[in-house]
Amino acid sequence: MLKEIAKLLEAIRSALTPEMTYSASVTGLIPAASATDIFEIVGGERKTVYVHRVQISGIATGAGAFDFVLLRRDGASSGGTSTAPTTVRHSLNADPASASLKAYTANPTVGRLYGNLQVIKGTVTTSAGVIPGISYEFDLTKHGLLQPVELKGRNATLALNLNATTITGGSLDIDITWTEK
């Protein structure tokens, strides 16, 4: 009986706690040769992070097809050379984001692989090409029909990986949108 009451109270608390939405982007990221993880979002300590969407596009000196792998890790990456993209709150009344982000220009030591979520075989065109850069989207909720990827705690990581390929003269743009509750 007490368990049921506790579950009910937790459901009520959860329903009354608003989700706050955040976005971040990286422009002109130059990935390492034989790049592994190039971007990651790590769950927060205070809130649960729900990743809804990740998008990538880019150009290179030599056009080609590449694997863009969205994967889960148990544990954040360490080392490498990274920047921390600026988090933008969709509402000025939102708390600062609990999640942390990194964009890598030198390969990190990656956390333990939990599994691949999605893979997109994408092309990267040349800046002089007639075809404009193509943008690829990982829509993790399928327009709200599926649950977003949930990251609870500082060991829960979602990463964008290039599967150890080299994008010669590459420059990538990455966007991400998530909520926290």
Side-chain angles (χ1 to χ4, degrees), residues 67-161:
D67 289 331
F68 300 121
V69 184
L70 195 64
L71 49 85
R72 296 247 348 217
R73 293 200 182 279
D74 182 21
S77 298
S78 61
T81 303
S82 66
T83 60
T86 301
T87 297
V88 179
R89 296 179 274 185
H90 286 216
S91 168
L92 296 178
N93 295 323
D95 293 333
S98 179
S100 60
L101 306 166
K102 286 186 181 177
Y104 290 97
T105 55
N107 286 331
T109 301
V110 297
R112 185 177 64 84
L113 179 65
Y114 183 77
N116 293 350
L117 291 168
Q118 295 179 17
V119 178
I120 293 176
K121 178 73 79 178
T123 57
V124 175
T125 60
T126 65
S127 57
V130 207
I131 302 170
I134 300 168
S135 182
Y136 300 97
E137 181 179 39
F138 293 95
D139 177 5
L140 301 171
T141 64
K142 300 297 180 203
H143 306 291
L145 299 175
L146 302 176
Q147 96 181 46
V149 175
E150 181 181 274
L151 304 174
K152 280 187 176 183
R154 290 284 178 203
N155 283 329
T157 302
L158 181 73
L160 183 57
N161 184 292

Side-chain angles (χ1 to χ4, degrees), residues 22 43-48 95-99 153-154 180-181:
Y22 305 87
E45 289 180 26
R46 305 179 319 273
K47 296 181 180 177
T48 301
D95 293 333
S98 179
R154 290 284 178 203
E180 296 184 3
K181 192 168 182 176

